[in-house]
Amino acid sequence: MQLRYAFRLYPDAAQRAALARAFGCARVVFNDTVRAREDARKAGQPFPTAGQLSRRLITEAKRTAERSWLGEVSAVVLQQSLRDAETAYRNFFASLKGTRKGPRTGPPRFKSRKDARQSIRFTANARWNITDQGRLSLPKIGAVKVKWSRTLPSTPTSVTVVKDAAGRFFASFVIDTDPAADAARMPETDRIIGIDLGLTHFAVLSDGTKIDSPRFLRRAEKKLKKTQKELSRKQKGSKNRAKARMKVARAHAQVTDARREFHHQLSTRLICENQGIAVEDLSVAGLARTRLAKSVHDAGWTQFISMLTYKAQRYGRTLVTIGRFTPTSQTCSTCGVVDGPKPLHVREWTCTSCGTVHDRDTNAAVNIKTAAGLAVTACGAPIRPGAIPAQREETGSHGFPTGDRAA
């Protein structure tokens, strides 16, 4: 299984300028690739191959006066940018044919220097390395200071340098993990749990445990409103407006980081304590079109379920998702009688058949667990972790690289 480990970078002034050049060159190659493909499409000609584009847009372009500055950055960065454009077109065509899962994707668009996120990727061919002093040495950029937050379990296969909207730099390493070692880290347990996600409480477990919703966005609304108001008063194109925009981006980044850390801690705890987990397939896109939209986005259910999914596959746990139309809030978990729909303000109700008094959320969590069938089929049953997309948000406690990782 492949995972991504992200670490904060602190480049100096010269290194920031070198990274800006690399971001710009990668963006130009990507845009040139999209333009060449569009010109071929409009002319009714076959699309140029990746080899032809590489020779024309990189190798030959470096010899011209208009693109001679492409030689100031690593050639691997330019090649990877061309590969990104090829991948974007491949995903677009697969989406048109219906062979790609998920919502339909559009054709690749031109990148702008004003984009919130800039990134470049170095593969093993670029000969980057981690120095004995714990710095990340990148070709034509230098040894960049890294704030290590955990030990890398193995040698990375590639590194992506990312600059986010808040002006922060990150190094994202792709790591191949060992399934046997990951499974050995988890304690043996046969506990089964059902989870009912909500807004008043972020999660209610089938054993009665209620986890309050932190509401990070709601708590930061006053600060966000102030920074956004200051931004709206600045003249467009001025340096003060750029500074105000950075303040807004940093305020939103703090909310995003706090929510992600909460999701990581909770998902890891649930994976460690339970062998089987049952959740409901919520229609987040549909709920985001209601009057509860801000609260739904603030909860971040999709990100939390995604973390549970890849961690369950990594550590050999069972995660079952039940259908969203299962009447978990209407069914009595004691006798199984469907008592009909109830408005949201009804948090407790009494079953008309057996007379049991139910807490709405706890009863739903028990029904989710029952509907998943975990109590019969998944007790102690390990799952072989499969290949899943690499996750970027793997972080932990701060530290410094030592031993094999520094080498």
Side-chain angles (χ1 to χ4, degrees), residues 192-195 206 278 322 364-375:
I192 311 298
I193 204 74
I195 305 175
S206 56
I322 69 170
V366 174
N367 287 329
I368 290 173
K369 173 184 174 181
T370 304
L374 288 175

Side-chain angles (χ1 to χ4, degrees), residues 271-283:
I271 289 295
C272 290
E273 295 177 353
N274 304 278
Q275 172 62 36
I277 300 176
V279 294
E280 188 176 7
D281 179 24
L282 298 174
S283 177

Side-chain angles (χ1 to χ4, degrees), residues 151-167:
T151 302
L152 293 176
S154 61
T155 303
T157 58
S158 68
V159 59
T160 303
V161 179
V162 180
K163 181 182 179 182
D164 65 1

Side-chain angles (χ1 to χ4, degrees), residues 56-71:
R56 190 206 320 174
L57 302 180
I58 299 178
T59 305
E60 296 178 357
K62 291 180 181 179
R63 302 169 185 166
T64 62
E66 296 80 5
R67 292 285 191 268
S68 59
W69 34 264
L70 290 176

Side-chain angles (χ1 to χ4, degrees), residues 1 14 81 112 184 207 210 229 263 299 341-342 349:
M1 177 183 293
S81 182
S112 170
D207 60 1
K210 294 186 177 182
K229 186 181 294 185
H263 288 165
K342 300 166 185 62
W349 57 281

Side-chain angles (χ1 to χ4, degrees), residues 42 58 85 102 110 138 141 226 245 258 272 305 318 331 334 346 354 371 381 394 401-402:
K42 293 178 180 178
I58 299 178
F110 293 110
L138 300 173
I141 293 176
K226 181 180 178 181
R245 188 205 65 80
C272 290
I305 297 300
T318 303
T331 306
T334 302
V346 176
C354 63
E394 283 285 318
T402 57

Side-chain angles (χ1 to χ4, degrees), residues 15-59:
Q15 291 169 349
R16 285 197 297 270
L19 286 171
R21 286 194 298 269
F23 291 145
C25 292
R27 184 174 60 249
V28 167
V29 171
F30 184 92
N31 290 342
D32 288 347
T33 304
V34 174
R35 186 176 296 108
R37 286 290 186 90
E38 286 299 307
D39 292 343
R41 182 186 65 83
K42 293 178 180 178
Q45 300 175 354
F47 278 0
T49 63
Q52 295 172 344
L53 291 174
S54 176
R55 183 171 55 257
R56 190 206 320 174
L57 302 180
I58 299 178
T59 305

